[in-house]
Amino acid sequence: MCGAGRCGPGVVTEYLRFEQAEGGLGDILQLDVMLKALGFSQMKADSEVRWAVLNVAAILRRYSALQDKLADAMDKGASTAACICLIEEELRLEEAKDEQQRLGVARG
């Protein structure tokens, strides 16, 4: 079974990049089944699935440049460790940039 953080990224990425998506419905249905098994009503399960998809879309939009760099590294045969290092370094750089912006706003 998949958790809310794993369901939908593929289908959401396809939609964001190509304005259409094929597949991925199985992931969404699996999440729906899991939520119902946990006692969620259909209305609550639908709401949670929508929230998960919107959250995934927001994360993918925020990190689209990183996703491009990661795809490029993978195309070039980068190891899993190298991909993890790429992600960690990009996130460190973004965090430092965000911190500089916060400090600039606080001083300004």
Side-chain angles (χ1 to χ4, degrees), residues 2-28 52-57 59-60 67:
C2 60
R6 266 188 14 161
C7 285
V11 71
V12 175
T13 297
E14 281 185 54
Y15 189 80
L16 290 174
R17 297 209 177 230
F18 308 113
E19 296 183 0
Q20 65 180 16
E22 296 179 15
L25 181 59
D27 288 345
I28 305 248
V53 169
L54 290 172
N55 197 39
V56 165
I59 291 167
L60 289 172
Q67 187 179 21

Side-chain angles (χ1 to χ4, degrees), residues 18 21 25 29 32 41 49 51 57 60 76-77 80 82 85 91-92 95-96 99 105:
F18 308 113
L25 181 59
L29 292 174
D32 189 55
S41 68
V49 169
W51 174 87
L60 289 172
K76 292 177 181 173
T80 301
C85 287
L91 293 177
R92 267 194 295 277
E95 194 174 285
E99 184 63 23
V105 169

Side-chain angles (χ1 to χ4, degrees), residues 33-53:
V33 168
M34 181 187 71
L35 291 171
K36 285 188 219 167
L38 292 171
F40 285 68
S41 68
Q42 184 62 55
M43 186 167 33
K44 181 67 174 167
D46 290 347
S47 176
E48 291 296 318
V49 169
R50 278 193 298 277
W51 174 87
V53 169

